[in-house]
Amino acid sequence: MLLLTENAPNVLNFIVTGQARCGAAVIQSAVSSHPKAICHGDLVGDCGIRRQEAHEDYFGEPYGHAEIPDYCAPGMVSPEQYLTIKVFDNPLYGEQAVGVRILYDDILKQQMWEYFQEWNLAGDFCVIHVKRNPIACFVSKKQAQQTGVWQQSVNDRQQFLQPRSVHVDVEELTWFVRNHVMCETKIANLWDDRLEFTYKELFLDYPSVMAGVFEFLSLPPYPEAKPTVRRLKNRNIRDRIANFSTLRARVPSDVASYFNEDLF
C-alpha cells in the first residue's frame, strides 16, 4: 500500500529498468548528472554494503545510532517501505525528477510488480526501459562473474584483459531467456508511460538517446550529461560463446529465435 501524502512535492518519479548488462547503469548515472534530476542506483540490490553506500552517497550518514537502518534492509525495512518513504517524492536538492535503477532480477526477487503498478496508477510515475538481446546479456553477465569486473569508470584508464569465452549451459540459458521475456512482457502490459530503446542505440547514438530521455522526463535539454561508467572492450557475442553452434542447435525454438536477432 502506498503512503502518498497530499502535500507531496511536484516531482516526476521513475525507474530505469532492464536486464543485467543492458546499459541501465549508463542511463542512471547520466540522468544523475542533470542538475534537475537524481537517479539512484543499487538501493534495493542484493548487496547490503552497496545498498548502504548508495543510500549514504545521497542522503548522508545517519546521526547517532538507530535500531532500524535508514536504508533498505530486508527483514527490517522493505524495498517498498524504503522507496515510498525515503526515495520517491523526496528530492533533497530541488530536483524535478527522482528515479531509481532497478533491474529485472531485483523486481522479481522482491516481488515488486504490484508495487510499481500502484505508483503507475497514482500518476506522476514512468519507466525508462533499456532493452538488449537476452543471450547477449547472459554472456556478458557470465563473463563479468568470471572476471569480477562489472563496469569501468570513465576516468579509469586501466586495460583489462578480455575474458575467456564461456561454455553456456542449455537449461540455464533457457531459464534466463524465458524470465527475460516474461519481464519484458510485464513491462509492456503494465506501463503505457514508458520510454524504450536498445543497448545498441545507446552505444551508437548516446547523445540522441539522452536527449530523448530528458524530454521524456520533462527536463530541459542537457547536452553536457555524461555517464560515470563506460562499456568494457570485448569481442562480439558469438565469439564469446565457446559452444555457440552446439548451443544454437540444442536450445528450444523460442530461445533459438534470439540467435537470429542482433546479438549486440
Side-chain angles (χ1 to χ4, degrees):
M1 182 71 65
L2 295 182
L3 302 174
L4 302 179
T5 59
E6 292 183 1
N7 60 348
N10 185 22
V11 172
L12 176 62
N13 301 296
F14 67 97
I15 62 170
V16 176
T17 191
Q19 184 59 265
R21 316 302 291 166
C22 73
V26 172
I27 296 300
Q28 175 243 316
S29 61
V31 168
S32 286
S33 73
H34 194 293
K36 293 296 184 180
I38 178 64
C39 187
H40 304 281
D42 299 319
L43 290 182
V44 296
D46 284 337
C47 179
I49 294 176
R50 289 171 64 183
R51 287 198 304 269
Q52 182 176 357
E53 289 177 345
H55 168 86
E56 292 179 354
D57 278 348
Y58 183 77
F59 294 103
E61 297 182 10
Y63 294 102
H65 175 74
E67 293 185 5
I68 299 177
D70 202 26
Y71 56 90
C72 176
M76 289 183 283
V77 181
S78 73
E80 292 89 348
Q81 290 172 321
Y82 174 71
L83 292 176
T84 300
I85 297 170
K86 194 71 180 182
V87 180
F88 293 137
D89 283 332
N90 193 20
L92 296 188
Y93 305 101
E95 295 95 344
Q96 298 171 5
V98 173
V100 59
R101 170 173 54 85
I102 178 166
L103 303 180
Y104 294 168
D105 275 356
D106 296 320
I107 298 177
L108 286 170
K109 289 175 184 176
Q110 305 294 345
Q111 300 181 15
M112 300 182 75
W113 294 112
E114 184 176 343
Y115 171 74
F116 286 129
Q117 174 64 351
E118 288 181 16
W119 271 100
N120 180 52
L121 294 174
D124 291 328
F125 185 86
C126 60
V127 175
I128 297 172
H129 186 200
V130 190
K131 303 178 73 171
R132 189 183 185 188
N133 185 299
I135 296 171
C137 292
F138 181 88
V139 172
S140 180
K141 182 178 180 180
K142 281 294 182 182
Q143 290 193 310
Q145 291 171 338
Q146 176 192 105
T147 63
V149 180
W150 288 84
Q151 61 187 29
Q152 186 173 12
S153 165
V154 292
N155 298 318
D156 185 0
R157 300 305 173 192
Q158 181 179 356
Q159 295 296 317
F160 295 103
L161 295 176
Q162 290 190 353
R164 301 187 307 273
S165 298
V166 293
H167 186 281
V168 177
D169 179 78
V170 172
E171 291 186 4
E172 187 179 7
L173 178 65
T174 298
W175 178 88
F176 183 92
V177 170
R178 288 175 175 170
N179 262 333
H180 177 106
V181 173
M182 182 270 289
C183 289
E184 283 195 342
T185 303
K186 277 268 194 183
I187 290 167
N189 290 337
L190 289 178
W191 291 299
D192 292 328
D193 192 7
R194 69 185 190 276
L195 175 67
E196 292 183 330
F197 48 85
T198 67
Y199 173 82
K200 186 174 184 178
E201 290 171 323
L202 175 62
F203 178 71
L204 296 180
D205 196 3
Y206 168 85
S208 294
V209 167
M210 289 311 305
V213 167
F214 293 138
E215 181 180 5
F216 177 70
L217 295 176
S218 300
L219 296 170
Y222 191 64
E224 299 88 351
K226 295 291 186 294
T228 59
V229 295
R230 60 190 174 99
R231 187 173 185 255
L232 294 169
K233 293 183 178 179
N234 216 318
R235 296 163 291 167
N236 65 60
I237 296 296
R238 182 184 182 118
D239 293 339
R240 291 154 65 181
I241 302 175
N243 57 328
F244 183 89
S245 298
T246 304
L247 180 69
R248 185 173 186 174
R250 291 184 58 198
V251 293
S253 59
D254 59 317
V255 178
S257 65
Y258 286 95
F259 283 94
N260 300 325
E261 297 184 2
D262 195 345
L263 279 172
F264 192 86

